[in-house]
Amino acid sequence: MRLITLSSAVLALASAVAAATGKAEGFAASVTGGGNGRTVYPSSNSELVNYLGSSEPLNIVLTKTFDFIGSEGTATEDGCLPWGTGSKCQKAINKDNWCGNYQPNAPRTRITYDKAGMLGITVGSNKSIVGQGNKGVIKGKGLRMVSNVKNIIIQNIKITELNPEFVWGGDAITINGADLVWIDHVTTSRIGRQHMVFGNQASGRVTVSNCDIDGRSSWSADCSGNHYWGMYFTGSQDMITFKNNYVHHTSGRSPKVQGNTLLHAVNNYFYSNPGHAFETASGAMVLAEGNVFQNVKATVENGGGQMFSSPDTNTNAQCRSALGRPCQLNAYGSSGKLTGTDTGFLVNFKGKTIAAASTANVAKGVVNTAGYGRV
Ligand SMILES: *[C@@H]1O[C@H](CO)[C@@H](O)[C@H](O)[C@H]1NC(C)=O
């Protein structure tokens, strides 16, 4: 009797973690991921890779660390030192002759990097990738959604250790030609290049929520421990909801937005950034509301994009016609202020699924809820 009770308890636990928890808010609200597909528990790197790449709808539950470091060997070659020779400066891999083309005067240095980090694991359509508790960790390799895949949920996992010493050492999450992707409660840390890169093809509808973008690193382009290459949203046809994320110890691209990207940045907490948070280049359409900036030197570097910075309650009432509600004020502590009162692009929100906005006071709490192991 006791045995039967125990096994049904285990079964109940298993089905509770089988699929993703909750629902996406904002642009990717209709995502279902693996949906009613099988639930699988990969036990090896190759099983994980096969499940992720399959064409079957799957709920893939990660119950351990999948360590890819060393799985494809190492490469030793000449790289360069674009940011200085200090021990805390990031070095650059000469990927596609990047050093030769863009850093002709930087000193050269012999480097050894891990090859597995360079290219992420391909993820097929109709997948949920969900970590169990705080056990779902992928080390040394990222995830990559390309070739027009659709309907993917990544929830409650950590991606870490992608050649953090070297720019071009790997991207944690890549979207380049996709639609309907929800990235929720994901922690990215110690990454070589981008924590998230969405471009140059269409990323379609994306929601990034409750993520911990942890820029702390022993090597960085600012040579002081704050990763520069945070998020790069540069797709040709992108609608991104970015809500309740904790973005900290970065020094640039947090995020950089360009291409043709409508970004709703709402209720995020940006903390400790000696460089810049937003970079708005040509094609960026950024609505920033209800965010908190604490110790962020420049909250925005404007390179020709558009931003509505939700500057005061009178101006924020202009959100009503497109969003059906006023926008929320951002809050600042020892930080520069966002600028930008572009309202022309707000019409693009009309008829879309739009994330709700709480006050910036509420956003400060994401430090206790963002990241993996907290679903
Ligand atoms: C994903 O699921 C949808 C809905 O069931 C289906 O139409 C589509 O063909 C699936 N995609 C792939 C690549 O199997």
Side-chain angles (χ1 to χ4, degrees), residues 40-54 58 60 62 64-68 71-72 121-122 138-139 141:
V40 294
Y41 302 81
S43 61
S44 64
N45 286 4
S46 59
E47 249 181 45
L48 176 65
V49 168
N50 288 341
Y51 284 139
L52 288 172
S54 91
L58 286 176
I60 304 168
L62 308 195
K64 54 168 246 177
T65 295
F66 294 85
D67 187 351
F68 286 86
S71 63
E72 296 171 29
I121 309 167
T122 305
I138 303 178
K139 228 171 139 175
K141 211 166 182 61

Side-chain angles (χ1 to χ4, degrees), residues 106-355:
R108 268 35 183 180
T109 187
R110 204 77 182 149
I111 61 174
T112 298
Y113 60 88
D114 194 72
K115 282 158 86 172
M118 300 294 282
L119 194 65
I121 309 167
T122 305
V123 181
S125 295
N126 302 327
K127 300 284 180 298
S128 294
I129 304 136
V130 182
Q132 196 177 63
N134 61 2
K135 294 187 183 142
V137 178
I138 303 178
K139 228 171 139 175
K141 211 166 182 61
L143 296 175
R144 196 161 164 266
M145 288 152 279
V146 300
S147 309
N148 300 314
V149 291
K150 190 168 170 176
N151 193 26
I152 295 165
I153 298 173
I154 305 171
Q155 187 178 60
N156 198 36
I157 68 166
K158 178 178 182 177
I159 300 174
T160 190
E161 292 293 337
L162 271 65
N163 289 309
E165 196 173 349
F166 308 113
V167 71
W168 302 114
D171 302 308
I173 296 177
T174 301
I175 305 179
N176 190 26
D179 188 25
L180 275 183
V181 180
W182 181 28
I183 303 163
D184 182 62
H185 279 103
V186 170
T187 297
T188 51
S189 70
R190 296 176 59 85
I191 304 301
R193 189 171 169 258
Q194 296 296 144
H195 283 239
M196 296 186 189
V197 57
F198 304 165
N200 298 307
Q201 296 172 40
S203 307
R205 296 163 288 177
V206 180
T207 296
V208 179
S209 52
N210 306 300
C211 288
D212 180 355
I213 314 297
D214 181 353
R216 289 174 297 176
S217 180
S218 309
W219 306 276
S220 59
D222 83 337
C223 304
S224 67
N226 306 288
H227 193 65
Y228 183 88
W229 325 98
M231 290 153 283
Y232 193 11
F233 299 157
T234 182
S236 62
Q237 191 74 51
D238 295 12
M239 299 198 323
I240 302 168
T241 298
F242 192 78
K243 180 169 180 179
N244 285 349
N245 301 290
Y246 179 35
V247 182
H248 60 108
H249 298 97
T250 58
S251 57
R253 290 191 176 178
S254 297
K256 178 173 183 177
V257 188
Q258 65 176 30
N260 178 10
T261 300
L262 182 67
L263 173 64
H264 186 197
V266 47
N267 292 150
N268 303 287
Y269 185 44
F270 298 85
Y271 174 65
S272 194
N273 179 333
H276 62 265
F278 289 92
E279 181 180 347
T280 51
S282 176
M285 296 166 279
V286 181
L287 166 57
E289 58 164 338
N291 301 287
V292 176
F293 299 89
Q294 183 65 48
N295 298 16
V296 177
K297 189 175 177 200
T299 52
V300 61
E301 182 176 289
N302 190 337
Q306 300 179 73
M307 175 178 276
F308 185 74
S309 60
S310 309
D312 60 74
T313 44
N314 272 346
T315 314
N316 290 359
Q318 294 184 49
C319 293
R320 227 178 249 287
S321 64
L323 281 80
R325 57 168 178 79
C327 282
Q328 292 282 347
L329 293 167
N330 297 293
Y332 306 88
S334 305
S335 299
K337 280 207 166 165
L338 292 175
T339 53
T341 51
D342 301 304
T343 52
F345 72 88
L346 293 178
V347 69
N348 294 326
F349 282 90
K350 253 196 173 140
K352 307 294 188 327
T353 315
I354 303 163

